[in-house]
Amino acid sequence: MKLNETHDPALRSWLASANLEGGDFPIQNLPFAVFRRPQSGEAWRCGVAIGDQVLDLAALGASGVYSAADEVNAVLHAAASDALNAVMACGLTALSALRLTLSRSLREGAAVQAALAACLVAQADVEYRVPAKIGDYTDFYTSIHHATNIGKLFRPDAPLLPNYKWIPIGYHGRASSIIVSGQNFRRPVGQILPAGASAPVMQATQRLDIELELGAYIGVGNTWGEAIAIDDAESHVFGLSLLNDWSARDIQSWEYQPLGPFLSKSFASSVSPWIVTMEAMAPYRLAPPARDSADPQALAYLDGADNRAAGAINLMLEVLLQTTRMRERGEAAVRICCTNYRHAYWTLAQMVAHHTVNGCNLQTGDLLGTGTLSGPAATEAAALIELTAGGKHPVTLPDGEQRSWLADGDTIVLRGWCEQPGAARIGFGECSATVLPARQR
């Protein structure tokens, strides 16, 4: 993605809320979601965020404000749907044209201001759903810092397994239990092997954890049997959202050998409603971290000039926690972690290239998780299992409460944003959920 007029940090919108400093949704962003007004009987449809409003793309298409021959009308027609899949499948050329048209229409002095203003709905008045129909969900393990921190807990002398620096490791997750931000979930129940016991017990997890991740949504897929070259990989990605892959660590430790995570992960994974497009993130691209001279170099199918030059993204990420007591006192959630996607060992393009190298066909709407995005510093550990050294050193909150693992009533909020000199700040909104008590068996 190359910079163009839509990225100009000097652009201002006729909608005042889009010009507020520190806002997530300025005119340079324009992310997508699926929404409706609650209890209205309205159909779900696709929208774009601008300031504190949602631009109803279905209504915009029906308004006739653009010429019927305009290529953006095909995308607007696709937006009159209960999921973003049809929009994603339109491809980068059509989506880039829509972005340019919306950018020009939302700028100060635009002749079509009145027509677009009639298609705005306040974000405070809508509800969201998972933005795409997700056929398949694959979760990767792209942070070497997370992999090392976890490895030290179980293999202090050799934290990283031999294959980590050679291959973007991933596993197939469960798409049916992906939920949108704001949906709460019950503490999961499963088999757990207590310390020193010879037989497992069936009980609610006592080690409920978070995983701060990003989710990449596939736009146009690939034909079964054909691989996606790394230089073309990002052209198949529609955009990114926040992702919290909740984890039950005590269930996980009993079940994960020999085939990996199962019930410890499949009970819930939260995604933010807004998907920020790859084009919106063009100003924040940078080279991935340099590999140590002792590290193996990536195999040819994982190595491309574009990836070496700008495969990483300068994307800040944070985790906030609010306990029941804090909520009762009216206290806001507090930060427990802040990191950056730029630290990932394996890039988005490498994830896509590796996923398809065996001929696996990705499809529109498929979701790829990055894995927990911990950074090199202790404060950048993006899961409680790392922050607390496996529960041994609890996190102490400002009011004196401590957490080794999540308690019932805890609310976790993920946030993300891109910000740097010479570019407009763009954000991802929030991804949040509250832990409810386990169901009674």
Side-chain angles (χ1 to χ4, degrees):
M1 288 293 179
K2 295 182 179 180
L3 297 183
N4 55 50
E5 66 180 80
T6 68
H7 301 107
D8 184 352
L11 292 180
R12 292 179 61 83
S13 173
W14 46 258
L15 181 65
S17 63
N19 303 322
L20 296 177
E21 186 175 354
D24 277 350
F25 305 128
I27 195 172
Q28 293 86 355
N29 194 350
L30 306 179
F32 290 78
V34 174
F35 77 101
R36 70 179 180 188
R37 294 180 181 89
Q39 290 84 49
S40 65
E42 293 178 343
W44 293 100
R45 68 268 196 201
C46 305
V48 161
I50 179 69
D52 60 1
Q53 304 288 305
V54 182
L55 179 62
D56 186 336
L57 295 182
L60 183 60
S63 72
V65 65
Y66 304 123
S67 166
D70 197 312
E71 62 182 326
V72 306
N73 274 302
V75 187
L76 294 177
H77 177 74
S81 175
D82 63 356
L84 277 165
N85 296 57
V87 172
M88 295 171 169
C90 289
L92 291 184
T93 299
L95 290 169
S96 186
L98 175 65
R99 175 180 167 85
L100 178 59
T101 296
L102 293 182
S103 174
R104 290 174 173 174
S105 300
L106 289 164
R107 296 175 198 174
E108 290 179 332
V112 293
Q113 175 178 337
L116 267 71
C119 299
L120 294 178
V121 183
Q123 291 177 24
D125 297 334
V126 306
E127 63 179 347
Y128 304 100
R129 71 187 313 182
V130 174
K133 292 180 180 177
I134 301 169
D136 283 297
Y137 164 45
T138 304
D139 199 22
F140 283 84
Y141 201 41
T142 63
S143 167
I144 194 170
H145 306 291
H146 175 66
T148 301
N149 292 340
I150 295 296
K152 286 179 179 177
L153 295 175
F154 303 103
R155 301 176 302 276
D157 296 331
L160 283 182
L161 294 174
N163 63 349
Y164 186 86
K165 294 181 178 181
W166 288 99
I167 184 173
I169 298 168
Y171 75 94
H172 194 74
R174 182 74 185 175
S176 64
S177 52
I178 294 174
I179 58 177
V180 74
S181 175
Q183 285 186 265
N184 303 325
F185 64 93
R186 291 193 176 277
R187 178 178 295 272
V189 174
Q191 281 195 30
I192 295 168
L193 183 67
S198 58
V201 297
M202 188 70 173
Q203 65 179 43
T205 179
Q206 301 302 301
R207 297 189 170 194
L208 185 59
D209 201 356
I210 59 173
E211 290 195 351
L212 168 58
E213 304 190 23
L214 289 168
Y217 288 86
I218 296 301
V220 177
N222 60 302
T223 303
W224 174 61
E226 296 185 4
I228 297 175
I230 189 167
D231 288 337
D232 298 327
E234 286 197 17
S235 68
H236 292 265
V237 179
F238 175 74
L240 302 181
S241 75
L242 302 172
L243 169 63
N244 190 343
D245 190 28
W246 307 92
S247 301
R249 299 301 186 186
D250 42 8
I251 297 175
Q252 183 178 0
S253 64
W254 171 237
E255 74 176 4
Y256 84 103
Q257 295 188 52
L259 295 181
F262 183 31
L263 299 185
S264 59
K265 299 277 192 174
S266 62
F267 59 92
S269 298
S270 298
V271 293
S272 54
W274 295 105
I275 304 177
V276 176
T277 64
M278 298 307 297
E279 185 169 8
M281 290 180 280
Y284 313 98
R285 305 308 298 260
L286 68 167
R291 295 199 174 193
D292 187 276
S293 59
D295 287 357
Q297 297 306 300
L299 297 182
Y301 79 99
L302 293 171
D303 184 30
D306 290 342
N307 187 69
R308 289 195 302 272
I313 304 174
N314 183 16
L315 199 173
M316 294 295 299
L317 297 161
E318 69 175 354
V319 180
L320 301 101
L321 170 64
Q322 182 190 53
T323 68
T324 299
R325 190 165 79 179
M326 292 169 64
R327 191 159 47 250
E328 291 173 346
R329 293 177 175 178
E331 299 172 358
V334 296
R335 177 189 283 181
I336 60 172
C337 162
C338 186
T339 185
N340 195 304
Y341 185 37
R342 68 187 299 169
H343 299 308
Y345 191 83
W346 295 105
T347 67
L348 182 59
Q350 288 171 323
M351 288 164 53
V352 173
H354 182 67
H355 203 312
T356 62
V357 72
N358 67 343
C360 175
N361 52 320
L362 297 176
Q363 298 178 320
T364 299
D366 282 357
L367 181 65
L368 309 184
T370 58
T372 308
L373 291 172
S374 300
T379 56
E380 296 175 292
L384 286 172
I385 191 172
E386 299 173 71
L387 285 169
T388 68
K392 297 175 183 176
H393 305 294
V395 172
T396 301
L397 303 175
D399 67 353
E401 288 187 90
Q402 292 188 323
R403 287 292 184 273
S404 292
W405 311 101
L406 296 178
D408 290 348
D410 285 351
T411 297
I412 290 293
V413 180
L414 309 185
R415 292 178 182 158
W417 66 95
C418 297
E419 186 175 23
Q420 65 188 30
R425 180 194 187 278
I426 63 172
F428 285 67
E430 292 187 351
C431 179
S432 68
T434 300
V435 180
L436 303 177
R439 62 179 172 81
Q440 298 299 312
R441 301 195 304 280

